[in-house]
Amino acid sequence: MALKRRRTFSIESIAWAEFILRSNPLISRAMALTYRYVLVDEFQDTTHSQYDFLQTLLGVLQGQVTVVGDNKQRIMAWAGAKPDSFKHFMKDFDAKQFDLLLNHRSSPGLVKIHHTMALSLDPEYKPAQSKVKQKIDKDIAEIWNFQRATSEFSFLAHWIKKDMKDRNLSASDYAVLVRQKADDTHASLSKEFLDRGLLICNETQRFGKFSLQDIVADELFVFIASLFRVSIQHGARDAWTNASDCMGYFFPADVEESKPKRRNLLDRLVERKIQPQLKTFESAEEKIGKCVSAILKAVGEDTMRGTFPQHYSANNFQTFLEATSEYLVFCAEQATSWSDFIDRVDRVGQVPLMTVHKSKGLEYDTVIFMGLDDSAWWSYSSANPEGKATFFVGLSRAKQRVVFTYARGSGGRTKISELYKLLAAAGVPEKVIT
């Protein structure tokens, strides 16, 4: 995982940031002298407070702003997203609109299916053109109708195992998406996967106050995991680069002579503090605790908190560190060696399982959309476009293939009949599996 330095605001801090920017002329001037361009992604999900902050920021900067988004993927209304952010932006900033009509993710066959779904959300939708090579000629989209609910999980595990071998893909090329209750699905799938030598990773699993997906995306976690990786695996170049880059963030310097000092600190931390703990795998939990403590002592809590603004609060920092340690111990409990441990930490060889909302911004060769039924989609209403937009988000994660599953007895198909009609109109066949 490449480490990228980022600056983030929580929902609560956005309002404070807007107030400070509006009321403090020194900060306003500093911002104006620092930034000339602003790029906002996923603009369709902008909240009212975020929009207010953007207005104040641009009033200060007098610079250029570009917002990017897709109203067909507007799925955060429940979290306060503005219903008409693009309309207001066009009016407030006299903005010009440019339609992005090239799809660099999904194959031509999948993009044709997108067209049908997109038109139901936006009658004025302009068809996009795929710029991706189609790697499979048939079965690019299917509905699997299981006549027995008990056969769904075993069939899916067997199919993924076979498809991985036939197409020479890895577990991370697949994703299992559910509308909700990923924990329940994981409990049912994990045994079937394990029986076939596969692992499935529940990305929504909670450790402390954080989901696994939020933990592994955090720079502090990436730094800690990278240190474990370079201490366990000889020649782990990417992990070493991540750790080294992070040391540069912790101890920035303008002079070339200081770089060896940072490297020496990293060398000492790995060779003298972490590696001696990892000679044997027994008492793994205790050793993990000692390694994390050594990392914290070597770098310094204040230094870490000052580098990553999301952890600036001592409370937040400790809460996240506890969640990280809990996850590391969880991986050790499932592992048989330190090598196995670090692969589990990095989710190597694991098929990700997550909710549709958590899949936003991600992409996979093959997406399996499980549980297309009234029970999972209990809140779906044809009068509310957000349900259909959520479905479109899941569909558009796929690069080469998408599969929808339905199991008889798990829920009807009356409430979401509109979705099945759209799939039929897009030419997606339904295969009955007994």
Side-chain angles (χ1 to χ4, degrees):
M1 177 189 294
L3 181 65
K4 298 181 180 179
R5 199 179 191 192
R6 64 182 181 182
R7 288 289 180 255
T8 60
F9 290 108
S10 68
I11 294 174
E12 294 82 4
S13 66
I14 284 286
W16 279 109
E18 191 278 331
F19 172 76
I20 293 170
L21 195 59
R22 175 165 41 87
S23 60
N24 191 314
L26 292 178
I27 292 180
S28 296
R29 179 170 173 75
M31 293 289 284
L33 292 173
T34 305
Y35 301 105
R36 292 179 57 194
Y37 304 98
V38 177
L39 175 63
V40 184
D41 197 11
E42 302 288 358
F43 192 68
Q44 75 280 353
D45 290 324
T46 300
T47 65
H48 291 273
S49 59
Q50 289 169 342
Y51 191 86
D52 290 344
F53 174 78
L54 181 63
Q55 278 189 303
T56 302
L57 177 65
L58 295 179
V60 168
L61 299 184
Q62 297 296 318
Q64 296 184 28
V65 59
T66 300
V67 301
V68 182
D70 181 0
N71 275 330
K72 299 184 299 299
Q73 299 189 44
R74 184 176 172 273
I75 61 173
M76 301 299 290
W78 60 273
K82 284 169 63 69
D84 47 10
S85 54
F86 283 104
K87 180 180 178 180
H88 279 143
F89 182 81
M90 296 284 288
K91 179 182 178 182
D92 293 341
F93 298 100
D94 192 27
K96 296 180 181 179
Q97 177 176 320
F98 296 89
D99 295 320
L100 305 179
L101 301 178
L102 298 180
N103 187 312
H104 293 275
R105 173 185 295 153
S106 301
S107 69
L110 288 177
V111 169
K112 288 181 180 179
I113 299 172
H114 294 179
H115 292 341
T116 301
M117 304 302 301
L119 284 171
S120 71
L121 285 161
D122 179 7
E124 298 181 3
Y125 167 73
K126 299 176 182 178
Q129 178 185 354
S130 172
K131 301 299 289 183
V132 176
K133 181 180 179 181
Q134 189 153 312
K135 298 179 181 179
I136 53 179
D137 299 324
K138 60 180 182 178
D139 302 335
I140 62 169
E142 289 183 318
I143 301 168
W144 291 348
N145 186 332
F146 293 91
Q147 299 301 288
R148 292 182 296 115
T150 54
S151 64
E152 180 180 12
F153 304 113
S154 59
F155 182 92
L156 179 57
H158 172 78
W159 182 88
I160 290 179
K161 179 77 171 181
K162 183 178 185 301
D163 196 63
M164 285 174 58
K165 181 179 180 181
D166 292 345
R167 299 178 58 210
N168 194 29
L169 297 180
S170 64
S172 59
D173 290 316
Y174 301 79
V176 178
L177 304 186
V178 293
R179 181 69 177 87
Q180 57 185 0
K181 298 182 179 179
D183 290 343
D184 293 346
T185 303
H186 179 263
S188 301
L189 275 177
S190 56
K191 182 181 182 303
E192 298 293 346
F193 273 57
L194 195 60
D195 288 346
R196 290 161 179 80
L198 296 173
L199 294 174
I200 186 162
C201 176
N202 180 7
E203 300 271 338
T204 67
Q205 185 173 350
R206 307 291 296 186
F207 295 93
K209 295 183 178 181
F210 296 86
S211 73
L212 174 57
Q213 190 177 59
D214 291 335
I215 291 173
V216 299
D218 192 282
E219 300 100 327
L220 179 54
F221 169 82
V222 174
F223 174 61
I224 293 172
S226 295
L227 287 174
F228 272 103
R229 171 68 72 178
V230 298
S231 300
I232 293 168
Q233 178 186 334
H234 179 70
R237 185 178 61 182
D238 291 344
W240 180 267
T241 299
N242 285 338
S244 182
D245 287 348
C246 209
M247 281 294 188
Y249 299 153
F250 292 144
F251 308 108
D254 298 326
V255 292
E256 193 70 21
E257 289 78 10
S258 67
K259 290 186 178 179
K261 296 180 182 178
R262 295 202 305 264
R263 181 181 177 100
N264 289 340
L265 176 59
L266 183 57
D267 287 338
R268 290 197 304 272
L269 182 56
V270 169
E271 295 173 5
R272 300 182 186 180
K273 299 298 181 181
I274 302 178
Q275 285 183 336
Q277 295 291 336
L278 308 182
K279 291 180 178 179
T280 63
F281 192 60
E282 60 185 14
S283 304
E285 179 178 349
E286 179 184 350
K287 292 175 179 178
I288 288 170
K290 289 181 178 180
C291 289
V292 173
S293 296
I295 294 168
L296 183 60
K297 183 177 180 180
V299 177
E301 179 179 333
D302 290 344
T303 300
M304 287 183 172
R305 287 169 49 203
T307 302
F308 303 130
Q310 67 271 33
H311 301 307
Y312 184 75
S313 161
N315 234 2
N316 289 349
F317 179 80
Q318 289 299 330
T319 301
F320 182 80
L321 207 59
E322 289 170 4
T324 295
S325 297
E326 184 180 335
Y327 172 58
L328 294 175
V329 170
F330 170 80
C331 292
E333 290 172 346
Q334 313 298 313
T336 57
S337 66
W338 286 117
S339 178
D340 185 18
F341 159 78
I342 195 59
D343 280 349
R344 288 177 182 271
V345 168
D346 290 336
R347 288 113 53 238
V348 174
Q350 299 183 36
V351 178
L353 162 69
M354 68 194 76
T355 62
V356 180
H357 278 80
K358 284 291 188 179
S359 74
K360 192 71 183 295
L362 304 177
E363 58 183 38
Y364 303 91
D365 176 277
T366 298
V367 168
I368 296 98
F369 209 139
M370 289 191 70
L372 191 56
D373 57 58
D374 292 345
S375 178
W377 290 74
W378 58 270
S379 62
Y380 184 87
S381 170
S382 57
N384 183 356
E386 186 162 344
K388 201 183 302 180
T390 301
F391 184 79
F392 183 79
V393 166
L395 168 65
S396 59
R397 300 308 95 200
K399 295 192 287 186
Q400 292 292 326
R401 174 187 280 139
V402 62
V403 173
F404 307 92
T405 76
Y406 169 79
R408 179 174 293 182
S410 60
R413 291 165 46 159
T414 304
K415 194 177 187 68
I416 60 168
S417 60
E418 179 183 23
L419 295 180
Y420 278 96
K421 289 177 182 177
L422 286 169
L423 289 174
V428 178
E430 183 164 357
K431 179 187 294 184
V432 175
I433 299 174
T434 57

